[in-house]
């Protein structure tokens, strides 16, 4: 296995971590700058394609590097899809998928011509051997298997738990925390760093340790996998490249010396993590701890709630461990709205939310939706990648560069995506439809993150295998080539637009006034037909002049009393007009709404000028309720 293949030429020559250059430390003795894994390649960059996973250490990848570098083309350090397909003997579609996936997890903007740097590509292929952290065993796995139908061998532990059971049983404590995952990623990099540096190094005349060296340019490629918490470039943090003259080429450094320094910094970070875990176990938690389990929209003392964030939302409070990630976690029977001013960092994670409506109306690079059920989640503009995993009966409305859907059941995806949706794992009864909403800043946000609204490949899903080789849990033999279940298209007659309340205040002249993604003709025709019918009904309602008793009778006749009797106690005819204005009904009714930092407990007897549509579950702009 690749875990056992460590390059001896560097590993043997490297010194113990204590003998290398010391890691920077603060006055208190703990590291001042901590090296951390870049989470994006591990979270959004793994592909369940067996031909991209190598079990022989550097043997195949070293030969691949030499082959790609030896090509006689104008750009010898870059590779395109046809060359990659030929070198790996894979299909052109898989080669394009690999390069597109790599581009989505680069720390900088990818090359517009669709090519990739050979050495970064090799690092990307190397980490395809990574296996995700195994969830902690559940205390009553037998009982779980008894209540959740047919425990699936394809997604192991988590298929034995429905999303609802996850939150009810407080099973978040059994799932790896972000701190656990980062420690696992660091441990993987520590174990394989000798191989990684071998793939980056150049051979020179010399013996043993001196025969492999790294130039500063090659060393910078490590930034694909590692970075320092304070945003310090690797070349500035490394003592052998610090303060190099930009006008003069830096002297290459032996690979063994680089290995010593990198491993020492990884060990320092792992020790720092271990100290935090030990302190937590001894009851010495403080607000700088990184991550713990949460229950139903309540932040514990180890995850500090910022005054500018809403309940159920958190960011890492430790400046040394800044993750640049906002969390919306454990929200139940509520609505949460996040605008750019509420987002910290460039990525968001929506975790274990149920019976809720979540609006993320901001330009971001990455988004993860995990373990949610019976919810509607709107993602405004995601420029790199979205991953939706282990969700059940969720409606996801997203405008993004790309999306990966894994192990989901009975979910509907309204997509505006520039690349083919990727479907992997054990999925059941998925549906896809074209993007169906807008808000006033949507086009501005799309432009900021580079999503092209003129390209929408929502109906071209790319389906891979059912088994994820990056899952550390064992799988039955003989199922690795089973294709995952694909998604069906939503019937155009069932397609509806989703109207978002105007959270941003007054419209500007350049504000988005309509869905920026053009609808396919059949869906557009269906919408026009519905709009025509609504106009007729609207006119009929406006022409009705009824006293209060007759208004009540009309409401009852249209079955609104049965749907909203528990929630609406005043002016039901105004709610009816809101519905007639062009909305449709959601299947769940949230109890409260959170906008920015203020949870709004609305008096349902006085709703004429706020988002009654959201509180009652009507898909409608609140302004039409006036």
């Amino acid at each position: 296995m690749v875990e056992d293949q460590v390059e001896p030429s560097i590993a043997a020559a490297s010194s113990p971590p204590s003998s290398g250059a010391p890691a920077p430390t603060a006055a208190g003795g703990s590291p001042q700058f901590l090296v951390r894994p870049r989470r994006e390649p591990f979270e959004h960059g793994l592909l369940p394609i067996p031909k991209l996973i190598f079990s022989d250490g550097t043997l195949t990848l070293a030969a691949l590097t030499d082959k790609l570098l030896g090509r006689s083309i104008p750009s010898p350090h870059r590779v395109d899809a046809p060359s990659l397909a030929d070198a790996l003997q894979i299909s052109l579609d898989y080669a394009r998928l690999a390069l597109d996936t790599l581009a989505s997890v680069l720390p900088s903007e990818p090359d517009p011509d669709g090519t990739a740097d050979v050495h970064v590509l090799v690092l990307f292929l190397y980490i395809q051997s990574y296996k995700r952290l195994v969830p902690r065993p559940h205390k009553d796995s037998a009982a779980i298997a008894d209540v959740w139908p047919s425990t699936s061998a394809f997604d192991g532990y988590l298929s034995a738990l429905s999303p609802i059971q996850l939150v009810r049983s407080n099973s978040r404590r059994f799932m790896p925390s972000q701190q656990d995952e980062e420690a696992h990623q660091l441990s993987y990099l520590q174990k394989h760093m000798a191989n990684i540096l071998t793939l980056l190094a150049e051979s020179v005349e010399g013996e043993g340790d001196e025969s492999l060296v790294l130039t500063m340019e090659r060393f910078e490629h490590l930034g694909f996998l590692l970075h320092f918490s304070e945003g310090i470039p690797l070349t500035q943090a490394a003592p052998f490249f610090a303060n190099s003259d930009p006008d003069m080429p830096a002297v290459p450094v032996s690979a063994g010396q680089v290995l010593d320094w990198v491993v020492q910094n990884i060990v320092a970070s792992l020790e720092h993590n271990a100290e935090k875990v030990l302190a937590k176990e001894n009851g010495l938690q403080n607000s700088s701890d990184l991550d713990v389990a949460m229950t139903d929209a309540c932040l514990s003392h180890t995850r500090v709630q910022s005054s500018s964030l809403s309940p159920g939302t958190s960011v890492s409070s430790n400046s040394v461990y800044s993750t640049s990630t906002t969390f919306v976690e454990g929200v139940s029977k509520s609505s949460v709205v996040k605008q750019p001013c509420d987002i910290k960092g460039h990525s968001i994670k929506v975790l274990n939310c149920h019976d809720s409506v979540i609006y993320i109306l901001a330009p971001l690079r990455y988004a993860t939706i995990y373990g949610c059920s019976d919810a509607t989640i709107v993602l405004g503009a995601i420029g790199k990648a979205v991953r939706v995993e282990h969700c059940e009966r969720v409606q996801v409305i997203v405008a993004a560069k790309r999306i990966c859907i894994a192990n989901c059941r009975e979910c509907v995806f309204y997509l505006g995506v520039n690349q083919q949706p990727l479907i992997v794992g054990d999925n059941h009864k998925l549906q896809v439809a074209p993007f169906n909403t807008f808000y006033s800043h949507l086009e501005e946000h799309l432009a900021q993150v580079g999503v092209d609204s003129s390209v929408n490949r929502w109906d071209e899903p790319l389906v891979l295998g059912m088994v994820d080789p990056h899952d550390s849990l064992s799988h039955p033999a003989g199922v690795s080539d089973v294709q995952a279940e694909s998604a069906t298209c939503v019937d155009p007659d069932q397609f509806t637009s989703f109207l978002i309340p105007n959270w941003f205040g007054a419209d500007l002249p350049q504000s988005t006034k309509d869905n920026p993604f053009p609808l396919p003709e059949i869906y557009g025709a269906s919408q026009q037909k519905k709009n025509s019918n609504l106009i007729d009904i609207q006119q009929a309602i406006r022409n009705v002049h009824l006293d209060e008793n007759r208004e009540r009778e009309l409401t009852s006749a249209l079955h609104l009393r049965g749907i909203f009797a528990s929630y609406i106690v005043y002016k039901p005819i105004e709610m009816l007009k809101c519905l007639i204005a062009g909305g449709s009904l959601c299947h769940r009714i949230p109890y409260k709404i959170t906008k920015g930092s203020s949870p709004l407990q609305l008096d349902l007897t006085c709703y004429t000028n706020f988002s009654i549509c959201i509180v009652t579950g009507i898909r409608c702009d609140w302004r039409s309720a006036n």
Side-chain angles (χ1 to χ4, degrees), residues 573-594:
I573 195 65
E574 290 195 18
M575 184 192 66
L576 173 61
K577 290 179 179 178
C578 178
L579 175 61
I580 298 303
S584 61
L585 301 182
C586 289
H587 65 289
R588 286 294 181 270
I589 300 175
Y591 297 165
K592 62 184 179 181
I593 186 165
T594 300

Side-chain angles (χ1 to χ4, degrees), residues 154-187:
F154 298 131
D155 51 4
Y157 165 85
L158 285 170
S159 68
L161 277 175
S162 77
I164 294 177
Q165 289 168 334
L166 275 170
V167 72
R168 287 180 178 172
S169 64
N170 195 24
S171 296
R172 178 72 172 93
R173 74 182 66 177
F174 301 101
M175 297 169 61
S177 67
Q178 177 156 303
Q179 189 172 12
D180 293 336
E181 291 175 348
E182 290 197 359
H184 185 63
Q185 292 160 9
L186 275 178
S187 296

Side-chain angles (χ1 to χ4, degrees), residues 406-465:
N407 305 310
C408 292
R409 294 171 170 86
E410 301 177 40
C411 295
V412 184
F413 298 87
Y414 296 89
L415 303 177
V417 289
N418 294 164
Q419 298 176 16
Q420 290 178 273
L422 187 62
I423 299 179
V424 300
D426 190 10
N427 300 284
H428 297 286
K429 298 181 180 179
L430 302 184
Q431 292 183 286
V432 293
F435 192 70
N436 67 338
T437 192
F438 69 94
Y439 58 93
S440 60
H441 287 51
L442 178 56
E443 289 176 302
E444 175 188 345
H445 291 169
L446 292 175
Q448 288 180 26
V449 298
V451 175
D452 184 357
S453 60
S454 67
V455 177
N456 192 358
R457 305 183 69 180
W458 67 274
D459 57 346
E460 304 175 37
L462 179 59
V463 183
L464 298 182

Side-chain angles (χ1 to χ4, degrees), residues 23 34 37 81 137 219 273 333 418 445 447 466 508 550 565 568 594 607 610-611:
L34 293 171
F219 178 74
N273 286 351
K333 296 180 180 179
N418 294 164
H445 291 169
M466 187 176 285
L508 300 174
R550 297 301 295 248
I568 304 302
T594 300
Y607 59 81
F610 197 69
S611 302

Side-chain angles (χ1 to χ4, degrees), residues 104 110 143 393 401 479:
S104 72
R393 297 185 302 279
K401 183 80 73 176
V479 298

Side-chain angles (χ1 to χ4, degrees), residues 567-570 600-608 612 615:
Y567 306 94
I568 304 302
V569 294
Y570 185 71
L600 303 171
Q601 304 291 347
L602 299 183
D603 179 359
L604 294 183
T605 64
C606 181
Y607 59 81
T608 58
I612 183 60
V615 177

Side-chain angles (χ1 to χ4, degrees), residues 379-393:
L379 300 178
I382 311 299
K384 292 284 191 177
V386 176
R387 185 174 179 89
V388 183
E389 188 171 7
H390 292 293
C391 290
E392 179 180 318
R393 297 185 302 279

